[in-house]
Amino acid sequence: MLLQNQDYFKTMSYRGSTKSRGGRGRGPPSRGGGRGGRSSTSYGGARGAGGGYGAADEPKPHIQLCSYYTSQGHCERGDGCNFQHVIKMHKTIVNSDPDPSSTSGSSSSGSNRSSYNRGGGYGSQTAVTMFPTSDIALWNDPSVGALKIFTASHDGHWRLYNTATGFSKEVQHNMGGKVNTVLVQSNFLFCGFEGTSVKLPGVTVGMIFAWNLGNPGEPPIELHMHETAPYAHASGVTCFITEGDMCVSGGHDCAIRVWKFDATVNAGKGGFKLINTLCGHAGEITGLVIVGTMLWSCAMDMTIRLWDSAANWECKYVITQTTQGNAATPMALPPNGQQGTGVGHTDAITGLLHFESAAGNFVLSSSLDGNVKVWNSVNGECLSTTNYGVGVISMALTTDLKNNPLLIAGTAYGKIMIRSLIQTATTAPMCYLCAIDTHRTHCGHDGPVKRVIAGPSNTFYTAGDDGNVIIFQITGDFGL
């Protein structure tokens, strides 16, 4: 059954063991952060097909995936297998180029980059370090009726793959600097990247280009702050969303910029005009979501801010680790500025999601503190906190075959964890259903999962610090 009221979220707070994880490597400000050391915990046993669990008190998922079926799409045991045939991997795309500046060889425990052996294994002596793949966007190409995949990479390219032709690469476009974000909306491809401006030669700034996919031969629309500042941000663009004829961008420069389409600019061809710059965050912007008139933002500064578009984008509320009660009616701060005692996150916040159900509107936040929090989108009340035992880098919403909503989370160590968002006859809200990782299911990412997005027919797509894009599909019953 669907979640009936918000009290379900309020009463559920899960904590996972952190004993089986390695040391954290925060690294410089980036969505993935640095990669921590490997845990010494063994994952062996349990007939090999599914693998065993780590520490004795490690949270046990609702089901355990069959590694053969998940990684290869079939299992010789068939219905006699002791593990579940619920998710299968369709394809791993080696999307990014090798990084020539990195040291060749196997990945070390303190590295914040990942090594992948094209010969079919992780961490071997012939491993090649790849540039991270930072984002994915899906596009239904109306001209051929095919689903296509745009990818963003720190090797300076965006690429286009066609799912109808075996995921063949159709386009590779060099932007000249790290590409951090891609988004397809209203048949436009928006691309946020690091580049140089003619007004600031030799200086790297944040640029946003938008191509009309109906006429890709036309030059892209460029988003400029001003004619004297022909760029979007003072440094790299980190996130980008659209809402109607409006766009919102965030950057490494801690600024949020609001853009609106104006048909009169660009010599009458139309373009996006900057209408507001929102200042207040003290760290790289990592997530943006609009619910009603409120823009929610999060950043590496461990805070969430709520901006009211109906009040000239005034920042109405700030949620920090010391916030008590809710954002709209905060209680008094704890004595002596005691830290970490409030409802907010205690480490860099990595993303936001909007989730709407019969019970109302919610916003989910993820963080390097290992928690995913559920917030009342109206008053900012924290309804639940779920601990993953590892930093959560990316999130996406999808559904199972019965249309039950699921939360897919990509973590700092490459594990992809799936939870049920609602209460069912057999599970509580935020129930840990299963996980995909290279140890137990023999497929997945080696290093931070930078992006997760949902696709059609119960598919989901992941992008990793290892430079890969992986396509999965939910094919069976989770038992919800």
Side-chain angles (χ1 to χ4, degrees), residues 13-336:
S13 182
Y14 300 99
R15 296 198 62 81
S17 168
T18 58
K19 293 183 179 180
S20 62
R21 63 170 175 166
R24 175 187 290 171
R26 262 293 293 275
S30 67
R31 293 193 69 171
R35 186 172 173 201
R38 290 282 190 184
S39 167
S40 60
T41 304
S42 172
Y43 288 92
R47 284 191 61 180
Y53 295 101
D57 58 349
E58 181 180 350
K60 183 177 180 180
H62 186 63
I63 63 171
Q64 191 174 1
L65 300 177
C66 170
S67 63
Y68 296 125
Y69 182 82
T70 305
S71 61
Q72 302 173 26
H74 60 86
C75 173
E76 61 184 14
R77 295 189 180 95
D79 294 338
C81 182
N82 290 342
F83 306 99
Q84 278 66 47
H85 298 173
V86 178
I87 297 174
K88 67 178 178 180
M89 182 188 73
H90 279 292
K91 180 74 174 180
T92 296
I93 301 172
V94 181
N95 176 66
S96 296
D97 292 335
D99 183 356
S101 67
S102 64
T103 302
S104 180
S106 61
S107 57
S108 63
S109 61
S111 173
N112 68 343
R113 296 293 304 281
S114 300
S115 298
Y116 175 73
N117 175 14
R118 289 174 185 259
Y122 289 88
S124 74
Q125 293 299 315
T126 58
V128 177
T129 301
M130 315 298 286
F131 282 102
T133 296
S134 50
D135 204 359
I136 316 167
L138 301 182
W139 174 46
N140 283 298
D141 186 348
S143 65
V144 294
L147 180 68
K148 298 186 178 182
I149 310 167
F150 284 100
T151 65
S153 173
H154 284 187
D155 65 12
H157 297 87
W158 62 256
R159 296 173 172 89
L160 178 65
Y161 299 89
N162 190 342
T163 64
T165 57
F167 300 94
S168 62
K169 182 168 60 179
E170 292 189 340
V171 180
Q172 176 172 294
H173 192 84
N174 188 357
M175 301 303 298
K178 289 181 181 179
V179 183
N180 292 318
T181 181
V182 287
L183 175 70
V184 175
Q185 190 66 41
S186 302
N187 217 37
F188 273 81
L189 169 65
F190 296 89
C191 176
F193 64 100
E194 297 178 8
T196 55
S197 168
V198 293
K199 295 288 186 180
L200 291 174
V203 177
T204 300
V205 294
M207 313 281 282
I208 301 173
F209 283 9
W211 283 267
N212 182 350
L213 295 176
N215 192 358
E218 287 186 351
I221 297 172
E222 300 184 22
L223 279 65
H224 294 165
M225 287 190 286
H226 189 267
E227 61 182 13
T228 61
Y231 43 89
H233 285 265
S235 55
V237 178
T238 55
C239 48
F240 188 86
I241 62 172
T242 64
E243 181 78 10
D245 62 353
M246 183 177 65
C247 305
V248 185
S249 61
H252 280 288
D253 56 7
C254 311
I256 299 168
R257 293 198 162 87
V258 183
W259 313 80
K260 192 174 181 64
F261 187 80
D262 186 341
T264 65
V265 303
N266 194 23
K269 296 180 181 180
F272 292 90
K273 185 176 181 180
L274 179 64
I275 62 171
N276 217 321
T277 296
L278 313 181
C279 298
H281 279 295
E284 169 193 333
I285 310 302
T286 55
L288 299 165
V289 67
I290 294 176
V291 184
T293 65
M294 302 301 291
L295 168 68
W296 289 60
S297 65
C298 65
M300 296 290 288
D301 63 5
M302 301 183 286
T303 69
I304 296 173
R305 288 177 175 264
L306 281 68
W307 315 79
D308 191 352
S309 64
N312 197 30
W313 299 97
E314 179 185 353
C315 183
K316 294 288 189 179
Y317 314 116
V318 182
I319 302 173
T320 73
Q321 59 181 307
T322 59
T323 300
Q324 305 290 304
N326 59 57
T329 56
M331 297 167 59
L333 294 179
N336 304 319

